[in-house]
Amino acid sequence: MWLTRPLRERSTQLFLGVLFAALAVVTLLHLTMPEDSPFYVSSFTVTLMGKYLCYALLAVAVDLVWGYLGILSLGHGAFFALGGYAMGMYLMRQIGDRGTYGDPILPDFMVFLNWQELPWFWHGFDMAWFAFLMVILAPGLLALVFGFLAFRSRVTGVYLSIITQALTFALMLAFFRNEMGFGGNNGLTDFRDLLGFNLRTDATRLGLFIASGIALAIGYLICRGIVTSKLGRVSVACRDAEARARFLGYRVERVQLFVFVVSAMIAGVAGALYVPQVGIINPSEFSPIFSIEIVVWVALGGRATLYGAVIGAILVNYAKTVFTGVMPDAWLFLLGGLFVLVTVFLPRGIAGLLASRRKKQDEPTDTDSDTGKEATA
Amino acid sequence: MSIIRSLTLLLFAIIMINPAFAQDQNTDSGRALLTNLAEAPASEVEDAIKSIVRSGDERARGWLEAYGANRLSRIKDTGQVVLVLNNRGRDWEIADPLTGENMGEMSRRELDRVAINNRIRGQLEGILAILDLNAADPDVREASARDLMGKVDAALVEPLQAQLETEENAAVRDRIQAALAIYRVGEGDLDAVDELSGSLHPRARAALSEAVRGDNPALAAKARQALAAIEQKLKLNSAAETLYFGLSMGSVLVLAAIGLAITFGVMGVINMAHGELIMLGAYTTWGMQQLLPGQPGLALILSIPAGFMVAATAGIIIERSVIQFLKGRPLETLLATFGISLILQQLVRTVISPQNRTVVTPEWMSGSLVINDALSLTLNRMYVLAFALIVFAGLMLIMRKTRLGLEVRAVTQNRNMARSMGIRATRVDILTFALGSGVAGLAGVALSQLTNVGPNLGQNYIIDSFMVVVFGGVGNLWGTLIAGLSLGTINQLLEPWAGAVLAKIIVLVFIILFIQKRPKGLFPQKGRAAEG
């Protein structure tokens, strides 16, 4: 089966081995070490790492479209945020009458805005299965419609990047409006519990961390399964020579659409796991700068490697945590410098460095020079 | 000659003597007038005020204003009337109403406020307006006549009609007539409705709507007719205003995007730091004004070349240090220049301030051009509109008529062929990028007059700028102009019924859909260069 085939690859085994070992070590240290021990992993750190894992999953989704399809999406934050909002709506409904205003149905912000009844799109979110379905369907549907229109009219390259950015910008403006019914500026917050587990307990936080790790593993397997399948080969062909692939009889736009939608769904799941861990979702997740930051994680880690995306996401976000704490002013300099240095001096990212050091040649197409399609586009 | 000279001398003498004259308080008629006002019993206050107005004394306005504001008092001991400058606390600061001389502080117990009742207070505004109607400056006279509209009551009719006979300025006469007509409509005069039918002033409309609701059927019918005509005119005016705002917003978009049309459209470089180059231009204006304090106009004019140079220099640095290494990799260029934009933003935050800076608008740019009561066009927007068109024309000239333009077009169409013909492509790249960046700087100078100058200035325009260029058709300056102006106008047309944010969303979605339909924009490039 396509999903289990990657398990036989050495790189996948290595990746999953490291990931699960890390999950196990953190869990063990968190549970068994006394609090004053230097090896103790606090609940705060567990949540922080859970957040990184969600970002890593998002980066894998972006790498799937950018690395293997040649589509630089500057709007993947939108899919991430949509998944997050779907989860946030479920969590809002779970608050029930424990909110500040004590309304059993309406979330606090609606009571505050003097709304009398629930907007139609909020119905069903009190049921976990429906909400979890929407986590995947909402971003998937947006990607389907947007991708269908864009790929059918062969909007590619820079144009596509710019309109994906416009898309997430438009969504950000829309979600900032109170009238949209998503909490406006403040977004959704003050969550209580998820599937009956109190979100503020350490056990739930650890559970979410492990769930994020497993989601990352599954997301990685799905992406790896796709790129090693025939479909993946075709999508790389679309990346490197779109016109040639089309002339050979492949329906390029269908391949693009499929991969794009899958990637959006994975991003949605990442967003859904992210929201209960940070405890808030607001329109800033739609901001174009966040989407473009994701691309830099991937670029730093190494395009078209998947595991590189994970490395990049974790490294950049760890650096962000450290720097915004120690010297907040320096962070944007560092991030900006990273954009420039990586693109100019490290076009294949950290993964490229590792690969060239080990002279590993078993997947030449994946780590091939990226000048392919864009140069001719 | 000698007559003029002697007259001048006489005038000079009078001016010289006058202060001494005023200081001699016993002969100053103002003293008597004020004492009269202070001593008048309630029934005679009106007459006392009238005699002040009739005296034609230049200081009358100040006295009456102070009177209305409860700041006219009498010293209990001497009976002298004084102006109270500051009536907070126990000791009040007072001044001589005749000379304006500060008389120091005096305990409030020693002062006796000159009483005023509410009926008089209500009339004071009209009385003051009549006072202004006698001012020497026709603009002041017109403004005061405009203030009178809707405030005329029976007591004012007579003095106003007297004013009308002596008034020579046509605009002021029209205003006074309109003010009287509003009063007469209120009294049920049918002819007065005709006089008001052309007026766009809100008070005239209010008077007519009042008449429509009133119980005089003939008057109501006529007023309704007049009102309909006015509404029609108003609609026209508001359409003109929307168009003006739309064009103004469009001109801003054009300015922001036109530099991008050169770097992105002509060179194919995605410069995400374009917005920050705009920001640099705006900050140059601010810096210029700091260097030349007190001369905002001169500073602004000097900022035009300075802003161009600063942004162009920054552009050259960006091109040489980053973009030249990423030739043929547009997506990487996009990322790298985005990084540069972050660095520039943070640089401004660290070096200058994260807060917005104020850029002063010079006097000749502030204010507005009043077309009529319903339509006035702000001058600064008009200047920016004109500036955008001039910049556009200048760029067109450079691209079409100069050696540089020719070389740029040659390199764009076929780089290798151009190089074989002896064109130094690298030099052309640098100059083109400098030109595009410099124009961004110019946009910043203009924008500093319309919006806040802060580190986020550029970020707000970058997406819009790309939209304009893509919508207009890459590599086509005319397309950028038309796209910018039309997007601005569409946005303004949508705003009244959709709100500012929703209008923006609708425009974005419209462009996204438009790109699907016509991926090459409004005016796609034709010929071989398009496939290059």
Side-chain angles (χ1 to χ4, degrees):
Chain A
M1 198 190 131
W2 63 273
L3 199 56
T4 49
R5 181 163 13 90
L7 286 174
R8 272 174 266 139
E9 291 174 339
R10 250 196 73 213
S11 68
T12 308
Q13 288 164 356
L14 189 69
F15 173 80
L16 290 181
V18 171
L19 176 64
F20 283 123
L23 285 182
V25 168
V26 170
T27 309
L28 272 177
L29 289 180
H30 176 67
L31 290 178
T32 57
M33 285 291 158
E35 282 196 26
D36 49 358
S37 155
F39 296 106
Y40 174 70
V41 178
S42 71
S43 161
F44 173 78
T45 317
V46 169
T47 304
L48 196 64
M49 287 195 274
K51 206 174 103 179
Y52 295 162
L53 290 178
C54 295
Y55 284 148
L57 182 58
L58 175 60
V60 166
V62 170
D63 195 19
L64 181 67
V65 285
W66 187 32
Y68 294 92
L69 199 57
I71 290 172
L72 177 57
S73 166
L74 297 182
H76 252 59
F79 305 126
F80 180 79
L82 277 182
Y85 264 100
M87 177 59 104
M89 285 159 82
Y90 164 71
L91 295 172
M92 278 317 253
R93 296 292 303 269
Q94 289 301 299
I95 297 174
D97 57 4
R98 287 169 295 175
T100 317
Y101 297 107
D103 192 299
I105 308 240
L106 293 187
D108 275 351
F109 74 88
M110 292 189 193
V111 183
F112 183 74
L113 291 173
N114 258 329
W115 290 12
Q116 298 308 320
E117 54 183 69
L118 214 57
W120 60 269
F121 47 83
W122 273 78
H123 287 288
F125 277 93
D126 48 338
M127 294 171 285
W129 67 267
F130 180 78
F132 294 168
L133 197 64
M134 290 315 283
V135 162
I136 298 175
L137 285 188
L141 202 65
L142 177 67
L144 187 72
V145 173
F146 183 81
F148 175 75
L149 291 170
F151 300 136
R152 193 195 47 170
S153 26
R154 301 188 188 172
V155 181
T156 48
V158 175
Y159 287 87
L160 191 70
S161 302
I162 291 174
I163 62 170
T164 50
Q165 190 173 36
L167 172 78
T168 191
F169 186 59
L171 279 170
M172 178 178 78
L173 292 177
F175 273 73
F176 264 124
R177 304 179 63 219
N178 277 331
E179 296 85 344
M180 277 287 284
F182 292 104
N185 205 354
N186 300 320
L188 311 175
T189 185
D190 204 21
F191 308 132
R192 304 286 163 123
D193 41 36
L194 170 66
L195 296 170
F197 298 103
N198 187 341
L199 280 174
R200 287 162 204 189
T201 59
D202 289 357
T204 315
R205 286 168 176 230
L206 188 68
L208 278 170
F209 165 71
I210 295 173
S212 307
I214 293 173
L216 175 60
I218 296 175
Y220 184 85
L221 273 184
I222 291 176
C223 293
R224 199 69 217 159
I226 288 176
V227 302
T228 50
S229 67
K230 186 180 167 223
L231 178 76
R233 298 280 161 194
V234 178
S235 99
V236 170
C238 297
R239 175 193 76 185
D240 291 338
E242 187 179 327
R244 204 180 301 175
R246 189 170 276 128
F247 292 142
L248 285 173
Y250 292 106
R251 300 292 292 266
V252 172
E253 59 278 359
R254 290 191 187 172
V255 177
Q256 287 171 326
L257 189 59
F258 177 80
V259 177
F260 191 64
V261 170
V262 170
S263 166
M265 287 173 166
I266 295 175
V269 172
L273 284 164
Y274 171 83
V275 167
Q277 302 193 59
V278 295
I280 186 170
I281 173 83
N282 64 26
S284 65
E285 308 294 341
F286 282 108
S287 71
I289 180 166
F290 175 61
S291 290
I292 210 165
E293 246 186 84
I294 308 166
V295 176
V296 159
W297 307 340
V298 178
L300 175 73
R303 225 182 117 185
T305 55
L306 293 181
Y307 64 88
V310 175
I311 298 173
I314 292 176
L315 264 186
V316 175
N317 281 295
Y318 178 68
K320 185 175 189 171
T321 311
V322 171
F323 272 90
T324 47
V326 181
M327 33 183 182
D329 284 350
W331 170 243
L332 276 185
F333 283 125
L334 195 78
L335 186 67
L338 208 60
F339 273 94
V340 178
L341 296 178
V342 168
T343 44
V344 176
F345 298 109
L346 214 62
R348 288 161 64 195
I350 294 172
L353 274 185
L354 296 177
S356 63
R357 182 157 301 174
R358 278 186 294 153
K359 299 261 175 217
K360 193 179 155 200
Q361 294 285 327
D362 56 357
E363 289 151 30
T365 44
D366 287 1
T367 48
D368 213 344
S369 155
D370 353 300
T371 48
K373 186 184 141 196
E374 291 100 55
T376 54
Chain B
M1 255 326 262
S2 67
I3 297 176
I4 293 177
R5 186 179 296 163
S6 55
L7 273 178
T8 321
L9 273 177
L10 189 68
L11 199 68
F12 191 63
I14 291 173
I15 293 169
M16 289 305 288
I17 291 165
N18 205 27
F21 214 69
Q23 267 166 12
D24 188 358
Q25 293 181 357
N26 292 323
T27 52
D28 192 330
S29 63
R31 188 180 183 83
L33 288 168
L34 282 170
T35 315
N36 186 22
L37 174 67
E39 283 172 355
S43 58
E44 283 166 32
V45 168
E46 239 175 296
D47 290 333
I49 293 176
K50 269 188 189 150
S51 55
I52 290 182
V53 172
R54 257 184 239 121
S55 73
D57 198 309
E58 280 175 3
R59 299 160 295 183
R61 186 183 177 85
W63 297 340
L64 291 178
E65 269 175 355
Y67 179 52
N70 284 339
R71 281 173 182 243
L72 216 52
S73 285
R74 259 184 123 194
I75 299 174
K76 279 180 185 166
D77 291 347
T78 61
Q80 190 191 353
V81 179
V82 292
L83 286 176
V84 179
L85 299 178
N86 183 359
N87 60 3
R88 255 163 287 169
R90 189 167 296 163
D91 292 321
W92 289 359
E93 196 181 351
I94 56 174
D96 188 336
L98 304 175
T99 59
E101 187 186 340
N102 197 322
M103 293 164 69
E105 292 188 348
M106 188 174 256
S107 165
R108 70 170 178 214
R109 291 177 189 207
E110 292 172 50
L111 292 168
D112 196 7
R113 191 164 63 81
V114 177
I116 179 169
N117 63 34
N118 280 336
R119 193 173 58 83
I120 299 289
R121 207 196 301 275
Q123 288 178 5
L124 259 183
E125 200 178 346
I127 291 167
L128 285 172
I130 295 254
L131 255 182
D132 284 340
L133 279 179
N134 288 313
D137 185 353
D139 287 343
V140 174
R141 293 209 298 274
E142 195 191 336
S144 80
R146 192 165 56 225
D147 281 346
L148 270 177
M149 293 176 92
K151 287 181 191 158
V152 180
D153 53 16
L156 272 175
V157 172
E158 206 179 318
L160 274 181
Q161 263 156 356
Q163 198 72 39
L164 202 54
E165 269 154 37
T166 54
E167 180 58 59
E168 283 163 1
N169 185 304
V172 183
R173 285 177 65 92
D174 285 351
R175 291 288 182 193
I176 297 177
Q177 262 163 353
L180 284 170
I182 289 176
Y183 169 72
R184 274 165 36 222
V185 168
E187 298 289 296
D189 186 342
L190 280 176
D191 295 334
V193 173
D194 288 335
E195 278 181 48
L196 284 186
S197 64
S199 173
L200 292 172
H201 199 277
R203 293 251 170 71
R205 254 183 316 147
L208 287 174
S209 344
E210 190 91 348
V212 168
R213 283 194 300 273
D215 40 15
N216 183 343
L219 186 71
K222 201 157 183 197
R224 196 171 294 126
Q225 228 169 5
L227 216 49
I230 291 181
E231 291 299 331
Q232 195 65 34
K233 254 186 164 177
L234 275 178
K235 249 182 218 157
L236 218 66
N237 276 308
S238 94
E241 192 173 31
T242 309
L243 189 70
Y244 176 66
F245 274 117
L247 285 180
S248 157
M249 189 175 169
S251 69
V252 169
L253 287 177
V254 169
L255 267 177
I258 197 90
L260 206 65
I262 298 210
T263 50
F264 176 44
V266 178
M267 278 178 83
V269 170
I270 316 284
N271 184 13
M272 292 300 271
H274 185 78
E276 277 57 42
L277 294 172
I278 297 178
M279 175 193 76
L280 283 185
Y283 270 100
T284 310
T285 317
W286 171 76
M288 250 334 170
Q289 291 196 342
Q290 301 301 305
L291 284 179
L292 295 168
Q295 284 169 300
L298 180 67
L300 186 65
I301 289 170
L302 287 179
S303 307
I304 294 174
F308 184 92
M309 290 315 291
V310 168
T313 313
I316 291 176
I317 296 172
I318 294 173
E319 208 276 340
R320 282 293 89 189
S321 61
V322 177
I323 291 172
Q324 66 156 328
F325 301 113
L326 298 171
K327 199 139 261 146
R329 290 154 65 192
L331 296 180
E332 272 85 349
T333 319
L334 189 157
L335 291 179
T337 49
F338 189 80
I340 294 172
S341 86
L342 291 183
I343 295 176
L344 284 175
Q345 271 177 40
Q346 190 58 35
L347 201 66
V348 167
R349 275 195 205 106
T350 314
V351 176
I352 299 178
S353 157
Q355 255 92 49
N356 285 343
R357 303 276 101 175
T358 349
V359 171
V360 186
T361 306
E363 225 166 85
W364 44 268
M365 267 186 82
S366 49
S368 48
L369 185 69
V370 180
I371 309 284
N372 58 37
D373 283 332
L375 182 65
S376 60
L377 309 177
T378 40
L379 274 180
N380 57 351
R381 290 183 175 271
M382 195 159 318
Y383 275 101
V384 170
L385 182 59
F387 186 67
L389 294 179
I390 292 171
V391 169
F392 178 78
L395 270 183
M396 262 339 234
L397 270 182
I398 291 178
M399 295 305 275
R400 289 277 160 90
K401 299 283 177 206
T402 64
R403 178 83 198 167
L404 173 68
L406 184 70
E407 291 185 357
V408 168
R409 282 180 289 140
V411 172
T412 315
Q413 282 179 12
N414 192 329
R415 195 180 179 87
N416 288 329
M417 183 62 80
R419 288 187 56 177
S420 330
M421 304 296 282
I423 294 174
R424 282 189 287 167
T426 317
R427 184 174 153 271
V428 172
D429 282 346
I430 300 173
L431 287 179
T432 316
F433 201 79
L435 181 66
S437 308
V439 172
L442 292 182
V445 175
L447 275 178
S448 72
Q449 294 302 315
L450 296 182
T451 54
N452 296 325
V453 177
N456 294 333
L457 174 79
Q459 230 179 13
N460 301 333
Y461 285 96
I462 186 70
I463 292 182
D464 288 343
S465 311
F466 270 109
M467 289 294 125
V468 169
V469 175
V470 170
F471 181 58
V474 173
N476 189 330
L477 292 184
W478 280 109
T480 306
L481 180 74
I482 290 168
L485 291 181
S486 53
L487 285 182
T489 313
I490 292 172
N491 208 325
Q492 284 297 321
L493 285 177
L494 289 175
E495 244 176 55
W497 62 269
V501 179
L502 198 59
K504 192 156 188 174
I505 297 171
I506 294 173
V507 169
L508 279 176
V509 171
F510 164 74
I511 297 173
I512 292 176
L513 293 178
F514 182 86
I515 299 291
Q516 323 287 352
K517 204 74 206 150
R518 297 189 63 166
K520 299 280 178 204
L522 271 180
F523 304 101
Q525 257 187 341
K526 293 192 180 79
R528 282 194 199 175
E531 276 94 51

